[in-house]
Amino acid sequence: MEVLRSKLGQALLLWFEGFREACCLHRVFILCRRSRKLLIRTGQCFLLNGLIFLGSIFVLKSVVIPTLQWILPDHCSQLGFQEPCPFGGILKFYSFLRHGLIQLFYVLWFYPLYVFSLILSNIWYNDIAKYGFAAMGRHEPTVPDPSSQKDTLQNPAYIDKRAGLGGIVIGIGEQVYSVLLLSFFFLEVYATGFIPYIGKALNFLLLSWMYAYYCFEYKWNFSELGLDKRLDFFESNWAFFAGFGNPCVLAIFFFSPLVSYGVMAILFPLFVLTATGSEAEQVIDSRRRKWKGAGLGRLPIFYAADALSLRVSSLISLKSQGQTQSNKAL
């Protein structure tokens, strides 16, 4: 019981450290002052996703829909008549026409804007992380060895520089596998929302981990950190990353899907920059020293997604080998 209480206390402290790190948004202003390119890219994200995307939703809800309801009413009281209404058929047609025009607005404006914003924002996020990483003055990639409680991500003994054709092939393979892994994890997060009673809470927790991983992934990519090491570090410090991801999810958890996307598209680059400027490794290491090297243990957050990704990778590999052998036979 004493051990459980101690582990719970450690988890809460690491969660608080992660939450505090995510809220250090002053780092964004510091980095933007150091890099004009970073300031411009961040401003473009705000302009596209804030002013244009969220602004369009505001105009639709506040101007377009009320105007259509005034022009095409669906209640007799709006026409000055009492029940029973002599224009029932016309009002039903008005209602159908109004809903059709609103859906047309979504199809011709919102959905294309959503796709355009999604593609362009993802390109800009990479630029923002790159400029932020450069503004931090970090040029030497460093990697962790999470199996050792005394070493951190910034220990130069674990520098992993990839060079040559073999390194390029390994890097491409890891990127493909990472896309598979995160895609399956996203499906897992989505599916948990349908679990009765605990689904919402579990969905919130998994979303927190997912966004925390996304935020730190840019930094780890520029640090040339191997996928196995970043997963090991992430799962070994699950409480810290749950805390870091909580503010990201709290900002969008109670909105509709389109509004949630718009809000996250504005906030996500800020959290990416916060993660880039974070000294998470040092924070975690300092806590471990106080606990005399004792950790919480690794939590297999990505176990299901990893197993599915391995299965898919194996099937693709077997299929490609079969095609190669058949081509040789011919």
Side-chain angles (χ1 to χ4, degrees):
M1 194 65 184
E2 187 64 30
V3 174
L4 182 62
R5 188 181 295 110
S6 174
K7 294 292 184 182
L8 181 60
Q10 291 177 12
L12 288 174
L13 283 173
L14 277 180
W15 175 88
F16 176 75
E17 291 290 352
F19 192 92
R20 187 173 62 85
E21 284 290 311
C23 294
C24 291
L25 295 176
H26 64 278
R27 293 172 184 156
V28 178
F29 297 100
I30 295 173
L31 292 175
C32 286
R33 287 187 63 183
R34 293 179 183 177
S35 173
R36 180 172 177 80
K37 290 181 178 179
L38 176 61
L39 180 62
I40 292 172
R41 271 289 182 265
T42 307
Q44 287 172 331
C45 271
F46 273 84
L47 180 65
L48 174 62
N49 299 304
L51 185 62
I52 298 177
F53 190 83
L54 288 179
S56 297
I57 295 176
F58 177 78
V59 169
L60 175 67
K61 301 291 185 182
S62 303
V63 178
V64 175
I65 292 179
T67 301
L68 288 175
Q69 287 178 336
W70 178 68
I71 297 173
L72 302 170
D74 55 359
H75 295 290
C76 271
S77 57
Q78 294 175 272
L79 298 174
F81 293 96
Q82 300 295 326
E83 297 293 343
C85 184
F87 303 105
I90 296 176
L91 293 178
K92 287 181 181 179
F93 174 73
Y94 281 174
S95 178
F96 173 78
L97 184 60
R98 186 177 68 252
H99 284 94
L101 290 173
I102 293 172
Q103 291 304 314
L104 196 64
F105 191 87
Y106 274 95
V107 170
L108 296 180
W109 177 249
F110 270 117
Y111 296 142
L113 181 62
Y114 172 80
V115 173
F116 176 75
S117 171
L118 188 66
I119 295 171
L120 194 58
S121 293
N122 276 284
I123 297 172
W124 285 348
Y125 294 156
N126 189 72
D127 290 343
I128 287 170
K130 179 176 66 177
Y131 297 145
F133 193 82
M136 287 296 296
R138 291 174 175 166
H139 305 291
E140 290 296 327
T142 55
V143 300
D145 183 7
S147 59
S148 171
Q149 297 293 335
K150 296 181 180 179
D151 297 317
T152 66
L153 286 173
Q154 295 184 342
N155 192 330
Y158 293 99
I159 293 178
D160 178 23
K161 295 183 179 179
R162 294 173 185 157
L165 183 60
I168 294 174
V169 172
I170 292 173
I172 293 173
E174 283 196 347
Q175 288 297 322
V176 172
Y177 188 83
S178 178
V179 170
L180 274 176
L181 180 76
L182 294 176
S183 298
F184 283 124
F185 188 71
F186 175 78
L187 293 176
E188 182 184 341
V189 172
Y190 179 76
T192 56
F194 297 99
I195 299 175
Y197 305 113
I198 64 169
K200 287 293 183 182
L202 192 59
N203 183 256
F204 181 86
L205 179 61
L206 292 179
L207 272 175
S208 298
W209 278 324
M210 187 178 74
Y211 280 118
Y213 186 89
Y214 282 154
C215 290
F216 278 88
E217 187 182 32
Y218 291 97
K219 175 183 177 181
W220 292 336
N221 280 336
F222 290 121
S223 297
E224 299 179 7
L225 180 60
L227 180 62
D228 56 339
K229 292 180 180 178
R230 69 178 74 171
L231 290 178
D232 196 2
F233 182 74
F234 190 92
E235 292 184 335
S236 298
N237 301 286
W238 49 270
F240 176 88
F241 290 106
F244 189 94
N246 280 169
C248 310
V249 180
L250 280 172
I252 65 168
F253 201 67
F254 303 102
F255 293 111
S256 64
L258 277 177
V259 175
S260 294
Y261 167 77
V263 173
M264 177 48 67
I266 294 173
L267 296 179
F268 184 70
L270 305 184
F271 289 119
V272 168
L273 290 174
T274 303
T276 302
S278 170
E279 299 294 342
E281 305 82 11
Q282 295 181 7
V283 171
I284 293 169
D285 192 51
S286 66
R287 285 294 177 184
R288 283 177 175 171
R289 285 198 296 267
K290 291 180 181 179
W291 299 330
K292 299 179 180 179
L296 294 172
R298 183 170 178 174
L299 184 67
I301 299 169
F302 297 100
Y303 177 80
D306 191 34
L308 288 170
S309 300
L310 281 172
R311 181 65 176 168
V312 171
S313 300
S314 299
L315 291 173
I316 294 173
S317 178
L318 288 172
K319 187 176 180 180
S320 62
Q321 288 176 5
Q323 288 179 346
T324 303
Q325 291 175 357
S326 64
N327 290 336
K328 287 181 178 180
L330 292 174

